[in-house]
Amino acid sequence: MNVRNMQLEIRVVPNSGKFSVCLKDGIVKVHVRGKAEDNKANLELEKELSLRLGLRVAIARGARSRIKTLEIPGESACIRRKLLDISNIKR
């Protein structure tokens, strides 16, 4: 069985009060507690999103940028549903 990977572009806001995921106007914004130094924000991003989605999340591009491309194994429709479930969007 061949598992596809979804690439997802996000914007990271480091040094936030809490970890949260927001979806607004088609943009995924992730607030992380970690600072943008010594890779703290990136490690928290990968760990927290992996836990919340139940999938392994890895930064594919943008490790030194606020705009990042994540690689997540699975079908895009399933991942989008999970993102909606964990986001702070009002439905």
Side-chain angles (χ1 to χ4, degrees):
M1 185 167 125
N2 189 7
V3 177
R4 290 185 157 153
N5 288 337
M6 177 185 175
Q7 299 238 325
L8 176 69
E9 189 173 284
I10 64 164
R11 177 169 175 81
V12 177
V13 181
N15 206 22
S16 298
K18 64 179 184 173
F19 183 90
S20 66
V21 178
C22 301
L23 299 173
K24 186 175 179 183
D25 301 327
I27 298 169
V28 178
K29 190 182 280 190
V30 182
H31 295 258
V32 295
R33 292 178 299 272
K35 293 184 179 186
E37 58 187 37
D38 298 328
N39 211 28
K40 291 176 187 173
N42 288 339
L43 293 173
E44 180 185 349
L45 171 70
E46 289 177 332
K47 179 183 174 185
E48 289 293 329
L49 268 184
S50 293
L51 284 172
R52 291 165 197 246
L53 293 175
L55 300 165
R56 186 181 178 281
V57 175
I59 297 171
R61 284 188 298 277
R64 300 181 139 249
S65 171
R66 289 181 192 244
I67 305 294
K68 301 183 185 307
T69 301
L70 303 179
E71 189 164 281
I72 308 169
E75 295 295 324
S76 60
C78 179
I79 294 167
R80 289 178 204 280
R81 244 187 333 274
K82 288 183 178 191
L83 279 171
L84 280 173
D85 289 343
I86 67 168
S87 72
N88 296 335
I89 194 169
K90 302 287 189 251
R91 291 179 224 167

